[in-house]
Amino acid sequence: LYVFAFLLWHRIGHLGQGQWWRYLLLGLACGTAFSIELPSGGIAAWFLFLSFLKDWKKGGLAIVVAGLPVLINLYLYYYLSGVWKPFYMQPEVYRYEGSYWQNLQGIDAERPATGIYLFHMLIGFRGLFSMTPILLLGIISFFRYSIKKGGFFRREFMGVLLAIVAMIFFMVDRTWNYGGVCVGMRWFICFMPLLVLMSLPLVDAWRQKTWGKVLLIGLLLWSIPWNIEAMYEEAFITGLFERLWFSVF
């Protein structure tokens, strides 16, 4: 959704295709993405802010439309719990007598120090860049090709990167687990495609050289075992074979 919002903004802000329906879709994409992953709101806010600077009337329309999925999401919280707040701001919803969250097990019971948690979140055993190192190229590419004046989508990616940093520190401050037994932390999924977009100038430069091609292939190959583990452990392969087994026998 954020990639869709980025592409819409590219049409609006760089190609001059500022039809009202593009602003409407931009707002809808940002609002829906924010509703799915609330800590990512900084990314949505940045694209909406850029659209407002471009055309305050149509940008205002985008902001209003962005509020619709948010209101629907809040209503669902209210419908299910009687409170308008997200569930993770209502500890009584899942921390009750006999609840798993009152008697945490395994990795969920760990309370790592902040520094250790941040380390494993980024480059450790649950690390964003240790398990998918190709995404690190987005950060390198930003400082090489985007940060300079007139750089590759400088304004867009600067805001996105600041929002990502804010999101990471929010998670460090508010959480302590690594997403349970999942291979990676689901909170990062929403901005991974944006890091891929940020990496494009660097990837394009490296692919012109033999050592660059080898390095890019190596970085991709490094991620394959983690993906295989994810498919096997996280119910795709295991669950598929279980369903087939029990349906036959």
Side-chain angles (χ1 to χ4, degrees):
L1 285 171
Y2 282 131
V3 169
F4 183 54
F6 174 86
L7 295 176
L8 285 169
W9 165 248
H10 173 57
R11 292 280 185 177
I12 294 169
H14 294 270
L15 302 182
Q17 299 175 2
Q19 295 92 335
W20 66 269
W21 59 267
R22 295 190 192 275
Y23 282 88
L24 187 149
L25 289 177
L26 175 65
L28 187 62
C30 288
T32 304
F34 171 58
S35 299
I36 294 172
E37 198 61 75
L38 295 180
S40 72
I43 302 174
W46 184 246
F47 285 129
L48 292 173
F49 175 69
L50 292 177
S51 72
F52 187 80
L53 289 181
K54 184 68 175 179
D55 186 321
W56 71 269
K57 291 182 179 179
K58 295 177 181 176
L61 171 65
I63 293 172
V64 171
V65 172
L68 296 180
V70 178
L71 290 176
I72 292 173
N73 197 35
L74 292 175
Y75 174 75
L76 289 175
Y77 288 132
Y78 177 78
Y79 178 79
L80 294 172
S81 67
V83 181
W84 292 92
K85 295 187 296 185
F87 289 137
Y88 58 74
M89 297 177 65
Q90 304 180 55
E92 67 279 1
V93 172
Y94 52 93
R95 292 179 182 173
Y96 52 86
E97 190 64 33
S99 166
Y100 169 79
W101 296 100
Q102 290 291 83
N103 184 30
L104 297 175
Q105 305 291 323
I107 194 172
D108 289 327
E110 296 182 11
R111 292 288 185 118
T114 300
I116 295 175
Y117 184 44
L118 180 61
F119 173 82
H120 286 304
M121 182 186 289
L122 296 179
I123 57 175
F125 76 99
R126 284 291 187 271
L128 172 67
F129 301 122
S130 55
M131 292 193 297
T132 318
I134 198 75
L135 296 178
L136 186 59
L137 299 186
I139 308 298
I140 299 172
S141 181
F142 172 80
F143 286 102
R144 185 169 180 180
Y145 295 100
S146 297
I147 198 169
K148 60 185 177 182
K149 187 175 181 180
F152 181 71
F153 292 106
R154 178 176 182 266
R155 186 171 57 165
E156 292 81 359
F157 286 145
M158 184 175 294
V160 166
L161 192 59
L162 288 174
I164 290 174
V165 171
M167 183 179 178
I168 289 173
F169 279 96
F170 173 83
M171 302 313 302
V172 169
D173 181 62
R174 296 298 184 94
T175 67
W176 64 85
N177 67 60
Y178 299 101
V181 296
C182 295
V183 173
M185 303 182 75
R186 68 167 178 82
W187 306 295
F188 294 162
I189 294 174
C190 62
F191 63 72
M192 286 180 180
L194 293 173
L195 289 178
V196 173
L197 286 178
M198 292 170 65
S199 73
L200 292 181
L202 185 63
V203 170
D204 188 57
W206 282 12
R207 73 183 182 86
Q208 307 297 329
K209 304 172 183 178
T210 302
W211 65 265
K213 292 179 181 179
V214 172
L215 185 54
L216 289 171
I217 292 172
L219 292 175
L220 286 173
L221 290 176
W222 178 270
S223 303
I224 290 177
W226 306 111
N227 286 280
I228 293 175
E229 180 189 2
M231 289 191 296
Y232 183 79
E233 296 293 340
E234 302 306 318
F236 178 72
I237 294 178
T238 306
L240 176 62
F241 280 117
E242 285 180 351
R243 285 193 291 271
L244 288 174
W245 176 268
F246 287 118
S247 65
V248 175
F249 300 100

